[in-house]
Amino acid sequence: MLSLLPAVCTALVLQAPQVESRFNQVAPVPVDGRPVRSEGQTRAVVLIHGYLLHVKASSVPHPRFRDWQQPRSALVRRLAKEADVFSYSYGQDFSIDDIVKTGSLRSEVAGLRRLGYREIVLIGHSAGGVIARQLVEDNPDLGVTKVIQVCAPNGGTPSAKTVVHRNQKPFLDSLTEEGRQASLKARADKRFPAAVEFVCLLGYADETRESDGVVPCLCQWTDDLRKQCVPVAPFCARHNQVTRTEPGIELLAKLVREKQPRWAAAQVDRTFKEFFKK
């Protein structure tokens, strides 16, 4: 009987639920659906969305691309001047941890590396920024060279406590302030790889600089990231404006194009005091 245990355990692992996800090339759009690297292009950008409002509970598990991830969006058309562009979408009936572990993003990024891209940039908006961060923390040798977080709830957000559908609750619970603090505690030994560039686009809605309307500013550029000297790019915009407005799109193109080295600790402290008036 004992000899059957390994086979049983393997079967259980294989049958474990996996998040449904999709990965599309959006610039240039391939003819046959298979990713293709443009001639001479060595940089790939992957767009990862955040929370999706679902009208029906039945749609929660199914991936759905945002408008700014589509081939003809202003963001995609602008980034196509800097790189080949891909979009990633995922079902939201899992926690962030499970999306990173069971989604296809890891294998898709590995596939980009095999296509010959030397630079792989992940742009994660909101929860997508947390997914990008954890993917690289868990897979430092995957081939990602830069992560750009856009209004990401690294420290959580009170907005995640509003649950519309029960099957989306695991996803939202992992984005509450309590959920993110528990995750950061459990992942305290994780560090962002020094060889990978990392920048936080810090959105703020008004002169109070408290929030972008959804995620508090202190929850975007968190203490753990400041201790790792992760640079920040403050930008006055509401949570959903950065990927849809010309100034935000131009800033993202600049962050993709230019190097984003770690800051000196003194620069982190100075910027923190200036921005938060502390």
Side-chain angles (χ1 to χ4, degrees):
M1 179 65 70
L2 290 177
S3 62
L4 294 176
L5 286 177
V8 171
C9 291
T10 300
L12 289 174
V13 170
L14 292 175
Q15 294 173 10
Q18 293 187 330
V19 65
E20 184 181 341
S21 56
R22 291 177 60 194
F23 188 84
N24 288 349
Q25 184 171 6
V26 291
V29 178
V31 176
D32 59 4
R34 291 183 296 180
V36 58
R37 182 165 64 90
S38 298
E39 184 176 358
Q41 182 57 264
T42 60
R43 180 190 290 142
V45 169
V46 180
L47 305 175
I48 310 168
H49 66 73
Y51 166 77
L52 290 171
L53 177 62
H54 291 270
V55 177
K56 297 180 179 179
S58 59
S59 70
V60 170
H62 306 304
R64 189 180 83 223
F65 292 105
R66 301 300 298 264
D67 59 325
W68 51 268
Q69 293 179 291
Q70 302 290 349
R72 297 187 63 80
S73 74
L75 176 62
V76 169
R77 287 188 284 110
R78 177 61 184 87
L79 292 180
K81 298 177 182 179
E82 311 289 344
D84 288 348
V85 187
F86 301 80
S87 290
Y88 179 71
S89 183
Y90 52 93
Q92 298 192 341
D93 52 339
F94 286 76
S95 69
I96 292 292
D97 286 347
D98 287 337
I99 289 168
V100 173
K101 290 176 183 176
T102 71
S104 66
L105 187 56
R106 179 175 57 181
S107 62
E108 299 290 2
V109 169
L112 295 179
R113 195 68 172 180
R114 290 193 296 271
L115 281 174
Y117 293 106
R118 294 197 296 270
E119 294 181 56
I120 299 176
V121 182
L122 306 183
I123 298 180
H125 176 257
S126 195
V130 180
I131 290 172
R133 170 187 177 174
Q134 292 194 190
L135 178 77
V136 176
E137 287 177 339
D138 293 345
N139 304 276
D141 299 321
L142 185 58
V144 174
T145 56
K146 183 185 294 184
V147 168
I148 301 171
Q149 288 191 325
V150 182
C151 305
N154 290 293
T157 170
S159 300
K161 292 186 177 181
T162 302
V163 179
V164 178
H165 302 296
R166 185 179 301 176
N167 59 342
Q168 201 172 13
K169 193 173 187 298
F171 176 74
L172 289 168
D173 283 350
S174 68
L175 293 170
T176 62
E177 292 164 297
E178 297 82 0
R180 284 300 302 153
Q181 291 306 313
S183 179
L184 290 173
K185 183 177 181 180
R187 299 171 57 85
D189 61 331
K190 300 285 186 179
R191 292 292 184 273
F192 207 80
V196 181
E197 297 173 42
F198 190 159
V199 60
C200 291
L201 192 158
L202 174 57
Y204 60 99
D206 52 44
E207 293 181 358
T208 66
R209 299 189 173 188
E210 293 180 354
S211 169
D212 65 1
V214 175
V215 181
C217 291
L218 282 170
C219 290
Q220 296 178 49
W221 195 33
T222 47
D223 181 63
D224 63 294
L225 293 182
R226 297 195 300 274
K227 287 179 178 177
Q228 296 182 65
C229 294
V230 170
V232 67
F235 184 71
C236 186
R238 298 191 69 82
H239 188 70
N240 291 319
Q241 290 180 334
V242 179
T243 57
R244 294 182 171 92
T245 58
E246 184 176 352
I249 290 170
E250 284 300 323
L251 175 56
L252 287 173
K254 179 181 179 180
L255 295 176
V256 167
R257 182 175 61 252
E258 298 181 356
K259 293 292 186 182
Q260 303 299 323
R262 297 292 194 277
W263 282 356
Q267 186 175 2
V268 172
D269 291 341
R270 182 171 61 253
T271 302
F272 179 80
K273 291 175 181 177
E274 289 175 355
F275 184 85
F276 292 104
K277 311 296 183 185
K278 293 183 181 293

